[in-house]
Amino acid sequence: MLYALDLLRTLRPLPVETHLIVTGGAKQVIPTELSETLHDLEGLADVVHKDRDLGAPVASGSFRAAGMVIVPCSAGTLAKVAQGLTDNLVSRAAHVTLKERRPLVLVVREAPFSRPMLQNMLLAHDAGAAVLPASPGFYHRPQTIGELVATVTARALDLLGVDNDHAPRWKEGA
């Protein structure tokens, strides 16, 4: 959930409208992984949607979106995206994102990867998604957890085409 929080905080000052969908599973994980609350997370987004609202604007291909990040992306959500199952708003919006050939970034959180997860990652990749394991870089010798998290957030933003300097790049300034 730190990755989701960091992504929302990083996008907040940018000229980007953010839409947040929080699944039931994520609501259960938030108190375990964050000192912030669901309300705090929602306060960082421009628009908040209920995960059961399949009629939300983001569920339509006519909705203008630059792309989508599912962060964190559980094995269950990965499977839904890979198989085209659309039983909640996250999976429906992901399906629409792929259908419209927009960037979809899946920040996979669970490791090690089981064979079904690896197969689903490949299927999602072949459908057009970018699979980004929540695996931070260490080449810049991070001193804080926030610096580690920022390396993944910066990569997600790069994959969306959002210009950022959220984390040092490989041999930047060398």
Side-chain angles (χ1 to χ4, degrees):
M1 293 308 303
L2 275 174
Y3 295 106
L5 179 65
D6 190 57
L7 182 64
L8 287 167
R9 284 181 173 160
T10 303
L11 287 169
R12 191 72 181 149
L14 301 178
V16 175
E17 183 178 85
T18 57
H19 290 248
L20 177 66
I21 308 162
V22 181
T23 64
K27 288 176 184 174
Q28 290 179 340
V29 172
I30 288 170
T32 304
E33 294 187 0
L34 296 178
S35 55
E36 291 80 2
T37 65
L38 173 61
H39 182 73
D40 295 330
L41 219 56
E42 291 175 339
L44 294 169
D46 295 306
V47 181
V48 177
H49 302 283
K50 295 191 183 311
D51 193 37
R52 295 280 162 217
D53 184 7
L54 295 179
V58 295
S60 172
S62 67
F63 180 76
R64 294 182 193 196
M68 179 178 180
V69 179
I70 301 177
V71 55
C73 183
S74 68
T77 298
L78 170 65
K80 289 178 185 183
V81 171
Q83 302 297 326
L85 303 175
T86 60
D87 65 341
N88 61 27
L89 186 54
V90 168
S91 60
R92 172 64 189 164
H95 175 76
V96 167
T97 300
L98 291 173
K99 172 180 83 71
E100 298 296 326
R101 306 276 191 230
R102 296 177 182 138
L104 173 63
V105 181
L106 308 176
V107 182
V108 181
R109 66 172 284 135
E110 298 174 26
F113 304 137
S114 66
R115 183 176 179 83
M117 283 182 70
L118 291 166
Q119 290 171 321
N120 285 330
M121 286 182 201
L122 185 57
L123 287 171
H125 172 274
D126 290 348
V131 178
L132 175 63
S135 179
F138 293 89
Y139 56 83
H140 63 294
R141 298 187 180 180
Q143 300 297 305
T144 67
I145 291 173
E147 290 174 351
L148 286 171
V149 169
T151 64
V152 174
T153 301
R155 291 294 294 137
L157 292 170
D158 287 347
L159 290 166
L160 281 179
V162 176
D163 189 39
N164 73 90
D165 59 359
H166 192 52
R169 298 181 184 279
W170 175 250
K171 296 191 177 187
E172 185 176 67

